[in-house]
Amino acid sequence: MTNWEKEIKKLDSIEVAPFELSREHIKELKKACATAKRKQKDFNFHLAGHLQEEYRLDPLPQNVARDLLTVTNHETFNYYKSKSIYLSKDCPYYMDRMWCNYQKKYEFNPIHTHAGLFSFVIFLKIPYDLKKEDNYFVKTKANKDQDLLASRFSFLNVHPVEAGGVRTTAIDVDKSFEGKGFMFKAKQQHMVYPFYTSDKYRITVSGNIKLYTG
């Protein structure tokens, strides 16, 4: 069983929707990222990431955006949609913006949230071996397997038991996540820890989904 298959249950427990993309969509996204990088469509000013290379996808890859909008229908979002939208009429979702992240060794995304109602991340390239990441630091008594965080994409929520506590749900992203992604509530706090064992880029695509009220 791959890490992707193992982590789906973990994602479901925190109301995050996993999805997979077709080969055609992955090819389209890789081409769009390469074009944005070549044309230096810098997007850093609008993002929280401590990354030197983040580029806006403009124009949007429309075929990919259209299919991603369908993920908002995932059953895990039913309660969220019924309780968090206060409009007098039904309004369609639309893709507000998409961007690609070229993350290098030691770079990271601090704790942050996004604009809109939904956000997502798509993993195009994972350059490291997760086991090597886990072995990069010497384990101590306080650093058990469940606490390993190097390279992890992590969600943060209020701890259900400890008053004032925060529960971190770290997702064990590895090469099995390539061509896949997950969608979450835009105000869900999350972060990405740095990786240490590869000199290649970790390439992801992210975006925000909003309601069209015009």
Side-chain angles (χ1 to χ4, degrees):
M1 181 179 289
T2 66
N3 266 17
W4 169 255
E5 295 168 326
K6 293 177 182 176
E7 296 298 84
I8 286 179
K9 185 175 181 179
K10 188 185 297 182
L11 293 172
D12 183 63
S13 71
I14 54 173
E15 299 180 5
V16 174
F19 58 84
E20 299 186 36
L21 296 177
S22 67
R23 291 183 179 179
E24 292 75 16
H25 284 353
I26 292 300
K27 183 177 180 180
E28 186 176 355
L29 282 178
K30 287 182 176 180
K31 181 178 179 180
C33 288
T35 298
K37 179 177 171 65
R38 185 178 70 252
K39 293 184 176 181
Q40 292 292 295
K41 295 187 176 182
D42 293 338
F43 205 47
N44 303 68
F45 180 77
H46 302 276
L47 302 172
H50 287 43
L51 281 66
Q52 291 183 340
E53 296 186 62
E54 297 175 298
Y55 306 105
R56 182 168 183 172
L57 301 188
D58 183 20
L60 286 174
Q62 292 296 336
N63 292 334
V64 180
R66 183 191 63 243
D67 284 358
L68 285 172
L69 290 176
T70 66
V71 183
T72 62
N73 295 322
H74 194 282
E75 61 183 4
T76 196
F77 298 135
N78 288 345
Y79 181 80
Y80 170 61
K81 290 191 293 185
S82 68
K83 297 298 182 181
S84 62
I85 301 173
Y86 305 95
L87 297 172
S88 60
K89 62 178 181 179
D90 291 335
C91 295
Y93 294 108
Y94 75 99
M95 188 68 65
D96 176 52
R97 55 182 58 173
M98 293 173 66
W99 62 91
C100 54
N101 307 290
Y102 284 81
Q103 181 182 0
K104 292 183 290 188
K105 180 193 293 186
Y106 309 136
E107 294 183 331
F108 66 98
N109 257 301
I111 299 172
H112 66 288
T113 61
H114 288 201
L117 288 170
F118 296 99
S119 297
F120 59 86
V121 59
I122 298 167
F123 302 95
L124 295 184
K125 181 66 176 178
I126 302 299
Y128 48 79
D129 184 308
L130 192 59
K131 291 183 179 179
K132 291 182 179 179
E133 289 293 308
D134 289 343
N135 290 328
Y136 186 81
F137 294 100
V138 176
K139 294 182 181 179
T140 66
K141 187 174 182 180
N143 187 18
K144 299 177 182 179
D145 287 347
Q146 64 265 32
D147 298 321
L148 294 174
L149 294 171
S151 80
R152 264 62 170 191
F153 189 110
S154 297
F155 293 100
L156 296 92
N157 291 285
V158 175
H159 198 284
V161 178
E162 297 177 5
V166 175
R167 178 176 62 184
T168 298
T169 304
I171 308 302
D172 294 336
V173 176
D174 65 0
K175 294 181 184 297
S176 69
F177 277 67
E178 293 182 346
K180 306 175 182 71
F182 40 75
M183 185 174 291
F184 48 93
K185 293 168 281 190
K187 296 307 177 185
Q188 165 71 64
Q189 292 196 344
H190 60 286
M191 66 180 298
V192 182
Y193 287 88
F195 62 88
Y196 300 87
T197 62
S198 174
D199 293 321
K200 296 181 179 180
Y201 286 112
R202 176 184 188 267
I203 305 175
T204 60
V205 170
S206 295
N208 296 331
I209 294 172
K210 295 182 178 180
L211 284 173
Y212 182 76
T213 59

